[in-house]
Amino acid sequence: MKRLIPVISLLAAILLASLPLHAREAAGDTVVSFVTVYPGSEIYELEGHSALRVQMPSGEDIAVNYGLFNFNAPNFVYRFVKGETDYMVGAYPWCYFLDSYRGSGRRIVQRTLDLTPEQTRRLVELLGKNLRPENRVYRYNYVLDNCATRPLRAVELAVGDSIILPPSYLEADSYTPLTFRNVMRHFHRNYPWYQFGIDLALGSGIDRLISRREQSFAPAVLDAQLGQAHVGDRTLVSDTQVIVDTPADGATEGPTPWYLTPMAVFSLLFVIATVLSVADIRRRKVCRLFDSVFFGAIGLAGLLLTFLIFVSTHEATSPNWLYVWINPFCLIVPIFIWLKKGKTVVFRYQIVNFALLILLCVSWPFLPQSANPAFLPLIATELIRSGSCIYIYHHTLRTACK
C-alpha cells in the first residue's frame, strides 16, 4: 500500500473534482456504503479496517479510505512512538480496494446507508472536502480518531443528527468491564506478546469505562453495531451484503502455544531466578551476570517508558504506574555491580527498589490501571533478586566493617 501512496494521491486529486459535481447532479442515485474488513494476521490489522464506498450514477465506484499512511515518511517510527502519526484519506477505485483484501481471506461486509438525497449530497461533498490536499492528512489516534471513527463522524455530520449505536456483542459476551484495553485484549487474545507490549507501554488512560460509541474504535465492533444503528426513528442501514463470506477471525493466526506465552516464559525465568538466588545465598555471592542482564533489560524498558510518559504526546501513555517498577534507575545495577566500590550503591538501591515493589504489589488492586498477568512472575523475579542481593550484601558489608 505504501508504494501506492503517490498513485492514490493522484487519483484522489482527480476524483476530488468529480465527487461534489456528481452529488449535485444525481444525489438520489448515488449509493454510499460503510465497508468493514475484518481482522487480518498482522498486528495493525487485528481490530479490522473501515472505509466508505461511493457508487455514482455515472458508473464510478470509489473507495474512500481513512487508513492510509506512508511508512517511508521521514522519521515515521519515531513520530509514531512520539504520538505524531499522520494518516491520510484517499479515494481510489473500489476494485483496487477490494483486490487488496480479497486474497487475504478476511471477511468483508458492506452496509448500505439509508440516506436521503440531501444527506447523500452533503456526505459526498464532505468527503470531497476531506480529500483536498490541505485537508486529507490528519493526526491519527489509535482509539479516538482512526479509520473507523472518521467515516462514522462524516456520516453523522451528513445526516445532521447523532447516530445511536446499540450495545456491542462485547457487552453480552464479556464479564470484564469494557475499557479500551479490554476491547484490545479481545482482539489480541492470540497475540499475547503484542498485548504484553501494549500493557507495558500504555498507562491508565485506556482503563476507563467507555461508551458504546467509544467501543466503535474497533472496526469489527462498529460493523456489528451498524446493523441496528438508528438516526432518530430511522435505521441507518438499508441493506447488508457479505462480500467475502469467511469467519470473522478466519484470517488471524491461531493461539500462541502456552509454552511460548509471556506468562510461561517469565514463569520459567522466575524459577531460574529462585534457584539461582538460593545458590547465591548459600555461597554468599551475587551472580552479577544474571543481575546485569535482568536489571539492564528492565532499565532499558524504563528508558522507553520515560520517553512515552514525558515526551510522547499520546494521552494514553501517562500516567503509567509501571514506572514505579520499570524505570531507568534499574540501570544502577548493571553499572555499579561490576565496580569494586559499587556494592554500597547497589545495596542501597535494592533496599529502595524492594520497598517500592512491595508497595506496588499491595496497592495495585486500588490503582486505576489493569496489569498484564505476565507482570506477576516478572515482579516476583525482581523481588527475589533484590531480596537475595540485600541479604548477601548486608552480610558482606557488615563483615567488611568488622
Side-chain angles (χ1 to χ4, degrees):
M1 180 59 70
K2 53 189 179 181
R3 294 180 180 177
L4 292 176
I5 291 293
V7 178
I8 291 172
S9 299
L10 176 60
L11 287 170
I14 296 172
L15 294 169
L16 168 63
S18 64
L19 278 172
L21 179 60
H22 282 291
R24 287 194 298 269
E25 289 180 346
D29 296 325
T30 297
V31 178
V32 182
S33 304
F34 211 103
V35 179
T36 303
V37 183
Y38 273 68
S41 59
E42 301 295 335
I43 58 175
Y44 56 84
E45 299 173 337
L46 294 181
E47 279 84 19
H49 181 55
S50 298
L52 292 175
R53 181 183 184 183
V54 182
Q55 296 169 278
M56 298 182 176
S58 61
E60 288 181 285
D61 197 352
I62 301 167
V64 181
N65 186 354
Y66 284 84
L68 303 177
F69 63 90
N70 185 2
F71 190 81
N72 291 327
N75 304 314
F76 178 85
V77 175
Y78 171 79
R79 288 172 60 86
F80 185 88
V81 175
K82 192 173 182 292
E84 297 178 351
T85 309
D86 290 333
Y87 272 48
M88 69 180 74
V89 55
Y92 50 100
W94 164 254
C95 59
Y96 292 170
F97 178 89
L98 184 59
D99 288 345
S100 65
Y101 293 106
R102 191 195 295 272
S104 63
R106 298 169 67 178
R107 181 180 181 85
I108 301 178
V109 178
Q110 174 179 290
R111 298 191 185 272
T112 303
L113 301 178
D114 186 12
L115 305 178
T116 66
E118 176 60 21
Q119 291 170 342
T120 301
R121 183 192 64 79
R122 287 201 300 263
L123 177 56
V124 175
E125 287 189 344
L126 178 61
L127 296 178
K129 182 179 180 181
N130 288 168
L131 285 165
R132 292 174 184 170
E134 66 271 21
N135 297 331
R136 65 182 176 218
V137 176
Y138 70 98
R139 184 56 49 86
Y140 174 85
N141 184 296
Y142 184 60
V143 296
L144 298 177
D145 195 359
N146 61 22
C147 68
T149 63
R150 281 256 162 175
L152 180 64
R153 181 56 180 162
V155 173
E156 192 169 56
L157 290 174
V159 300
D161 199 355
S162 297
I163 296 175
I164 308 302
L165 297 176
S168 71
Y169 62 88
L170 295 180
E171 295 183 46
D173 297 343
S174 177
Y175 295 99
T176 58
L178 279 183
T179 63
F180 286 121
R181 194 188 303 272
N182 285 335
V183 173
M184 294 177 197
R185 285 172 175 168
H186 171 79
F187 290 101
H188 304 166
R189 57 191 180 276
N190 291 349
Y191 297 72
W193 284 102
Y194 178 52
Q195 185 60 47
F196 178 84
I198 288 178
D199 290 339
L200 187 71
L202 301 185
S204 58
I206 61 171
D207 285 303
R208 63 177 176 84
L209 294 177
I210 57 176
S211 65
R212 292 171 182 172
R213 179 60 172 266
E214 289 174 318
Q215 294 170 36
S216 67
F217 84 91
V221 174
L222 175 57
D223 177 61
Q225 291 177 306
L226 286 175
Q228 300 179 35
H230 284 76
V231 179
D233 58 354
R234 293 179 54 193
T235 58
L236 179 65
V237 173
S238 62
D239 180 64
T240 297
Q241 179 184 359
V242 180
I243 298 176
V244 178
D245 191 5
T246 57
D249 58 353
T252 60
E253 294 181 359
T256 299
W258 68 267
Y259 51 86
L260 294 179
T261 63
M263 176 60 79
V265 171
F266 294 135
S267 294
L268 177 61
L269 179 66
F270 170 69
V271 172
I272 294 173
T274 302
V275 173
L276 190 59
S277 296
V278 172
D280 285 354
I281 291 174
R282 287 178 177 175
R283 64 193 182 102
R284 300 293 174 88
K285 188 176 182 180
V286 174
C287 180
R288 294 185 293 178
L289 179 60
F290 182 90
D291 283 359
S292 294
V293 175
F294 179 70
F295 284 95
I298 295 178
L300 291 176
L303 290 176
L304 176 60
L305 285 192
T306 300
F307 179 86
L308 291 173
I309 293 171
F310 299 105
V311 180
S312 175
T313 58
H314 279 296
E315 70 282 346
T317 58
S318 180
N320 189 337
W321 292 95
L322 294 180
Y323 202 62
V324 175
W325 158 43
I326 303 175
N327 55 68
F329 290 108
C330 296
L331 294 174
I332 289 175
V333 176
I335 294 174
F336 286 90
I337 201 170
W338 297 97
L339 302 179
K340 289 184 178 181
K341 297 182 179 181
K343 284 185 178 180
T344 302
V345 176
V346 175
F347 175 66
R348 291 174 178 173
Y349 163 75
Q350 293 289 25
I351 291 176
V352 175
N353 185 50
F354 189 86
L356 288 175
L357 288 173
I358 294 295
L359 179 62
L360 180 64
C361 292
V362 172
S363 61
W364 196 275
F366 308 100
L367 296 178
Q369 183 170 337
S370 177
N372 190 290
F375 290 164
L376 181 60
L378 268 179
I379 293 176
T381 299
E382 189 167 351
L383 273 171
I384 198 169
R385 290 309 297 170
S386 292
S388 62
C389 180
I390 292 169
Y391 178 84
I392 295 169
Y393 280 178
H394 174 70
H395 175 79
T396 56
L397 289 173
R398 185 176 62 179
T399 302
C401 291
K402 292 180 179 179

